[in-house]
């Protein structure tokens, strides 16, 4: 089968490297004209490109007819012999809970669904039906909101190695003519004409005004500008990833960025590094605004202290020598427990404490979470507690007492660890911090009997 639009999509797939032969593609289909055209085109290219296709539909439950649209997509896809995945959720409730617009909430839930289905069922790409008019509208909307270069790049033709947009350079007029010629059915979403939505005001009011009074090909100009900026942004993104590999690391669900490394790169590159780090821990990037990036930058300069709250339940904070991005941790419980002798003890925050004696042992403080004391100078009971503001300990060689806060900082300890690291106290005085410090005159000499206090998380 051959048509101008199919030929155009075929060329764009090759030009941008969107699909390789033999891939399994999940096609996101709302039932509207654009997504139905995309499904039809990829279906007719499936043998040529050796593709295995499936259809995914997300019901936002925003309109009474949404269930009918889901059934329409299901019936059409099954008629083509394709697997269909359908999910639904009350987007309005999610938007209210997360303090998002309906459009942003729907996008977040929809993309999350597509990513989950692709991962669970082994689809390497998710094909989305954005087209050239969507691109022009998005650029204008972001310009009005004061977006930077990345925002003015508009909608990328491919993102994250998963999402692809084969129709992005095709106009709405081309798609409408194709649907009519091929007699392809579709459903029209009445919300696309609702002036309460900014996108619709841009589509039906602003762009026609610009075409009439400024430039008749304004959509084409916006598309060309977006593509040029997108190419430059892709290059900037590659540079940011190179620096990120050098100055950052992902440990579990926390991303660490070196303060020294960040200060060695220009501001424009740092901003991209922040975005890539946020992406690595799972922050929804389309909810990140310039003010979030500026707040992170203020951590680097020292203008801001403490946690910066980020969308999706994440935080950024400054720790010794690094900035970290992570999920908001579970509540940590302050604790205080009196121990009367050797044994094993359970502390809050999943901490296990072990107390025992060692006879004639090399008693240097070596292990990370262990405190070794002179057994002849220490007797029970002992108080084991979490750190408190203003805590100090008297160390050998110092004329006064040293703040625990400074000791924690010197050891590069993470903020959450500082809040629950056990402190050992006797008669109102701190006598040791496992793995970090032992009070003056309380460390045993080699060959002496030792009292050992260790913990694990």
């Amino acid at each position: 089968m051959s048509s101008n639009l199919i030929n155009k999509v075929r060329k764009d797939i090759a030009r941008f490297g969107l699909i390789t032969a033999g891939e399994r593609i999940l096609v996101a289909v709302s039932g509207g004209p654009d997504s139905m055209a995309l499904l039809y085109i990829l279906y007719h290219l499936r043998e040529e490109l050796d593709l295995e296709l499936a259809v995914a539909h997300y019901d936002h439950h925003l309109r009474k007819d949404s269930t009918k649209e889901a059934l329409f997509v299901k019936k059409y896809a099954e008629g083509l012999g394709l697997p269909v995945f359908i999910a639904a959720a009350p987007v309005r409730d999610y938007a209210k809970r997360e303090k998002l617009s309906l459009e942003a909430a729907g996008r977040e839930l929809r993309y999350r669904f597509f990513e989950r289905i692709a991962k669970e069922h082994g689809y390497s790409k998710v094909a989305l039906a954005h087209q050239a008019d969507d691109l022009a509208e998005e650029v204008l909307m972001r310009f009005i909101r004061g977006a930077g270069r990345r925002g003015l790049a508009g909608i990328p033709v491919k993102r994250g190695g998963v999402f692809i947009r084969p129709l992005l350079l095709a106009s709405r007029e081309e798609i409408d003519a194709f649907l009519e010629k091929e007699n392809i059915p579709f459903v029209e979403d009445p919300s696309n004409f609702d002036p309460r939505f900014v996108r619709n005001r841009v589509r039906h009011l602003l762009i026609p005004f610009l075409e009439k009074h400024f430039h008749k090909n304004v959509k084409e100009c916006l598309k060309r500008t977006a593509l040029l900026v997108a190419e430059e942004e892709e290059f900037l993104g590659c540079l940011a990833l190179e620096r990120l590999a050098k100055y950052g690391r992902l440990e579990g669900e926390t991303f660490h960025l070196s303060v020294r490394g960040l200060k060695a790169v220009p501001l424009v590159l740092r901003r991209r590094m922040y975005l890539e780090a946020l992406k690595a821990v799972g922050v929804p990037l389309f909810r990140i605004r310039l003010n979030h990036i500026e707040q992170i930058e203020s951590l680097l300069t020292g203008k801001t202290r403490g946690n910066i709250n980020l969308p999706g339940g994440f935080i950024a904070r400054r720790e010794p020598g690094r900035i970290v991005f992570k999920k908001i941790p579970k509540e940590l419980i302050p604790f205080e427990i009196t121990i009367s002798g050797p044994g094993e003890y359970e502390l809050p925050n999943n901490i296990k404490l072990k107390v025992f004696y060692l006879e004639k042992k090399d008693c240097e403080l070596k292990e990370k979470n262990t405190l070794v004391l002179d057994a002849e100078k220490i007797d029970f009971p002992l108080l084991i507690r979490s750190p408190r503001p203003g805590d100090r300990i008297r160390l050998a060689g110092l004329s006064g007492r040293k703040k625990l806060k400074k000791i924690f900082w010197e050891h590069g300890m993470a903020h959450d660890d500082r809040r629950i690291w056990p402190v050992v106290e006797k008669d109102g005085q701190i006598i040791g911090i496992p793995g970090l410090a032992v009070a003056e005159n309380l460390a045993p000499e080699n060959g002496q009997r030792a009292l050992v206090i260790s913990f694990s998380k």
Side-chain angles (χ1 to χ4, degrees):
M1 179 181 182
S2 179
S3 78
N4 291 337
L5 185 57
I6 290 179
N7 289 334
K8 185 171 190 174
V9 170
R10 180 190 287 113
K11 290 178 181 177
D12 287 342
I13 287 174
R15 174 186 173 186
F16 297 106
L18 302 184
I19 297 172
T20 56
E23 283 195 288
R24 305 181 77 230
I25 309 296
L26 184 66
V27 188
V29 180
S30 67
D34 299 337
S35 64
M36 291 301 292
L38 175 63
L39 176 60
Y40 187 91
I41 291 169
L42 291 180
Y43 181 78
H44 283 85
L45 289 175
R46 74 191 190 287
E47 291 186 1
E48 176 185 334
L49 299 177
D50 188 25
L51 304 180
E52 185 176 336
L53 303 177
V55 170
H57 176 86
Y58 195 82
D59 181 355
H60 297 80
H61 275 185
L62 291 174
R63 293 176 290 101
K64 294 179 180 179
D65 292 335
S66 64
T67 302
K68 292 182 180 178
E69 292 167 6
L71 292 174
F72 165 78
V73 171
K74 181 176 184 294
K75 183 178 179 181
Y76 189 86
E78 289 177 342
L80 297 177
L82 302 178
V84 188
F85 302 94
I86 296 178
V91 171
R92 199 178 304 277
D93 293 344
Y94 183 77
K96 184 177 181 180
R97 186 175 77 243
E98 297 294 319
K99 298 180 181 180
L100 297 170
S101 67
L102 283 177
E103 184 178 18
R107 184 184 190 279
E108 185 168 321
L109 292 173
R110 187 169 64 248
Y111 276 63
R112 194 180 297 169
F113 165 65
F114 296 151
E115 288 178 319
R116 178 175 63 82
I117 293 300
K119 184 176 181 180
E120 290 179 357
H121 297 272
Y123 293 97
S124 55
K125 301 283 175 59
V126 178
L128 305 172
H130 296 95
Q131 34 88 345
D133 288 47
D134 296 323
L135 176 59
E137 293 159 10
E138 189 70 21
V139 171
L140 271 179
M141 288 171 63
R142 295 184 184 184
F143 180 79
I144 292 168
R145 292 170 181 161
R149 288 177 55 86
R150 188 167 180 269
L152 296 180
I155 305 170
V157 69
K158 55 183 177 180
R159 179 173 67 81
V162 175
F163 292 101
I164 59 172
R165 296 177 172 91
L167 283 181
L168 193 61
L169 302 188
S171 69
R172 182 168 288 121
E173 290 79 6
E174 289 177 295
I175 292 171
D176 288 344
F178 178 76
L179 292 168
E180 183 176 0
K181 178 183 176 183
E182 301 298 333
N183 196 28
I184 301 169
F186 60 87
V187 292
E188 193 67 72
D189 183 352
S191 67
N192 288 334
F193 302 93
D194 190 338
R196 292 177 298 175
F197 296 107
V198 175
R199 181 176 297 278
N200 291 339
R201 296 201 297 276
V202 169
R203 177 179 300 172
H204 301 297
L205 297 176
L206 181 55
I207 288 181
F209 179 83
L210 293 174
E211 288 175 329
K212 181 177 180 180
H213 296 283
F214 290 90
H215 197 303
K216 65 179 181 179
N217 293 322
V218 67
K219 289 187 288 187
E220 182 63 29
C221 293
L222 288 168
K223 180 182 76 172
R224 186 167 59 249
T225 298
L227 290 175
L228 288 171
V229 175
E231 289 175 353
E232 295 170 1
E233 279 297 295
E234 184 176 1
F235 173 71
L236 188 62
C238 290
L239 290 180
L241 287 173
E242 288 179 5
R243 298 298 192 282
L244 205 66
K246 185 176 181 180
Y247 299 124
R249 70 183 188 280
L250 182 65
E251 290 185 357
E253 297 180 347
T254 301
F255 202 96
H256 302 255
L257 268 175
S258 162
V259 166
R260 182 179 296 179
L262 286 170
K263 289 182 176 180
V265 301
L267 174 60
V268 66
L269 204 52
R270 282 205 299 271
R271 288 174 177 155
R272 286 303 297 267
M273 291 172 69
Y274 296 148
L275 287 171
E276 294 296 340
L278 293 172
K279 177 182 175 182
V281 294
V283 177
L285 290 190
F286 53 86
R287 289 169 63 178
I288 292 293
R289 300 290 179 258
L290 179 59
N291 67 299
H292 295 125
I293 300 301
E294 290 176 339
Q295 286 179 309
I296 295 170
E297 179 67 14
S298 70
L299 286 175
L300 182 68
T301 60
K303 294 180 180 179
T304 297
R305 297 181 182 276
N307 293 343
I308 290 175
N309 292 319
L310 299 169
F314 291 83
I315 60 169
R317 67 170 296 109
R318 174 82 175 259
E319 293 187 353
R322 61 188 180 268
I323 292 176
V324 299
F325 305 97
K326 60 183 176 180
K327 270 281 190 184
I328 294 175
K330 296 179 181 178
E331 184 178 356
L332 300 175
I333 305 170
F335 58 89
E336 181 178 301
I337 180 174
T338 299
I339 60 173
S340 56
E344 295 186 4
Y345 301 87
E346 294 282 343
L347 302 181
N349 311 304
N350 295 317
I351 295 176
K352 293 183 179 181
L353 192 74
K354 188 175 181 181
V355 182
F356 56 96
Y357 286 109
L358 278 179
E359 303 290 341
K360 296 182 179 180
K361 176 70 176 177
D362 180 352
C363 297
E364 292 182 10
L365 186 63
K366 291 181 178 179
E367 296 186 31
K368 181 180 179 182
N369 298 342
T370 298
L371 175 66
V372 184
L373 298 165
D374 187 338
E376 304 304 322
K377 296 179 181 179
I378 299 297
D379 58 0
F380 292 98
L382 297 175
L383 182 69
I384 311 293
R385 63 171 175 82
S386 50
R388 299 170 186 160
D391 273 345
R392 295 170 183 264
I393 184 172
R394 187 176 296 279
L395 301 176
L398 296 181
S399 57
R401 295 183 299 161
K402 189 170 185 177
K403 288 183 178 180
L404 266 61
K405 178 180 179 181
K406 188 171 183 180
I407 294 174
F408 291 150
W409 182 268
E410 289 172 347
H411 283 81
M413 188 176 293
H415 178 263
D416 292 338
D417 283 341
R418 297 184 217 175
R419 295 168 59 192
I420 61 172
W421 201 270
V423 171
V424 183
E425 184 179 303
K426 175 68 176 177
D427 298 331
Q429 299 294 319
I430 295 175
I431 61 174
I433 315 165
L436 302 179
V438 58
E440 184 179 35
N441 297 324
L442 292 183
E445 296 180 3
N446 289 341
Q448 289 181 325
R449 187 167 181 257
L451 174 65
V452 181
I453 301 173
S454 67
F455 77 94
S456 61
K457 293 189 293 182

